[in-house]
Amino acid sequence: MDKLSIEGPVSLQGTIRAGGAKNAALPALAACLLTESRIELTDVPDVRDIRTMLSLLDHLGVDSERSETSLLLQANRDPTAEDAPYDLVKTMRASVLALGPLLARRGHARVSLPGGCAIGVRPIDQHLAGLEALGARVRLEHGYVDARSDRLRGGLFRFSMPSVTGTENLLMAASLALGTTVLENCAREPEIIDLAELLNKMGAQIQGAGEERIEIQGVETLSGATHGIIADRIEAGTYLIGAAITRGDVCIENARPRDLSALLEKLTETGCQIDIDENGLRLRGTGELVSKDVVTAPHPGFPTDLQAQYMALMTQAHGNATVCETVFENRFQHVPELNRMGASIEIDGSFARIHGPSRLSGARVMATDLRASASLVLAGLAAEGTTVVDRIYHLDRGYEAMESKLQALGARVQRISGA
Ligand code: EPZ
């Protein structure tokens, strides 16, 4: 398994470009199942989760072709394929995004139930209840969701809690339903707005994406489209925190400040200087860092996908900070590893208390999930000596070319393959 070796401390300096968002590209890829026409997507990141989704789509009869500038997709090979097998779904929960489009377009979908996950139980009950509200017959058997409907029909569904992929699945399903669907208590993440933009380009009639209430007027068929995937706010946020934790000066081109308002506000409070211009974002972390509490929440709240990285930052801030994780019940697995590097963090249920500043020293640490691995890399950049992060296949799921981007910012990082 590959590892990442990091020499610290370093001060990150320079400019990088934020790539396309993994969590916007995944539903956009699934949307190609809604039509036989060609979909062209630009800025699709080359990360492992995208490759997994492309394997699933291939299994479902979708041809895909990547060029320098874009990814072409066409679901015209085998319109009868209807199942998303366990072997693919177990490696990536987002495979569940095939459920809504398959059911809406082909009248039947058999998708392996995603099992447990390192960060929480993560059930999909809201996805299934939503599809039932559109008239689907849903059964769970042999570890699979089996959903059937001659034709979905418009209806009203209120989520018990805002669910990102739940909202995306129902948006795609309702786009081909008979009549009008109203979704309430929806998730409002920018990736949902991006998906709705693509679907509307394909001929869907969606209003209110990004709001709590979304209305979808179903249509008979959807056509092809060309669409650029939005910038990855979590990737951009990770490098901004990298600049702050190393007291550096970094520009992130292509980043969208409005998608990062909760983070930018918090980083300003901690003492970082942030400048916004037409090209993107610049963070200068030259001053003393001050501890500030944070509570994660669905968008536009502080993103749970930046919680671990922010916690690493708070190990270098003056004072005591409390981080409260409200979205997932088991998302503190980076804490013992940060403490092994010399941090002082206590966990009390969904609260973590960080006492800073701590003098971090390089160590061998283990990645447990995608964002936890990013926080260990950031801590390694601030630590004295060598940090080796093991199991970076977690990192490769969602960060494109992290080594070369960090090297471009002056970091001394190296991938150790298959050690
Ligand atoms: C999306 O996951 C993201 N993944 C996650 O990013 C992100 O952490 C999460 O949203 C929250 O922002 C993708 O977009 C592919 P949810 P998702 O449904 O949709 C509960 C990363 O690091 N819930 O919004 O699976 C659930 O257990 C990943 O890139 C139910 O109980 O998250 C959680 O506590 C990790 N029943 C909460 O809602 C349901 O049917 C929010 O989950 C659905 C969700």
Side-chain angles (χ1 to χ4, degrees), residues 277-343:
D277 67 20
E278 65 284 355
N279 300 322
L281 280 165
R282 177 181 182 187
L283 183 142
R284 277 173 281 183
T286 43
E288 188 175 87
L289 274 174
V290 182
S291 297
K292 288 291 174 188
D293 299 348
V294 87
V295 178
T296 67
H299 192 83
F302 191 94
T304 173
D305 293 349
L306 288 171
Q307 175 258 99
Q309 300 92 316
Y310 183 78
M311 197 184 289
L313 179 67
M314 287 300 100
T315 68
Q316 301 308 293
H318 291 257
N320 300 322
T322 299
V323 169
C324 176
E325 174 56 58
T326 70
V327 179
F328 291 109
E329 66 275 16
N330 187 27
R331 205 167 201 180
F332 284 153
Q333 296 185 67
H334 41 285
V335 170
E337 298 302 294
L338 289 173
N339 282 343
R340 292 187 61 252
M341 298 177 72

Side-chain angles (χ1 to χ4, degrees), residues 222-239:
L222 291 168
S223 59
T226 297
H227 182 71
I229 298 293
I230 55 170
D232 195 322
R233 62 194 169 101
I234 305 299
E235 184 204 25
T238 300
Y239 289 111

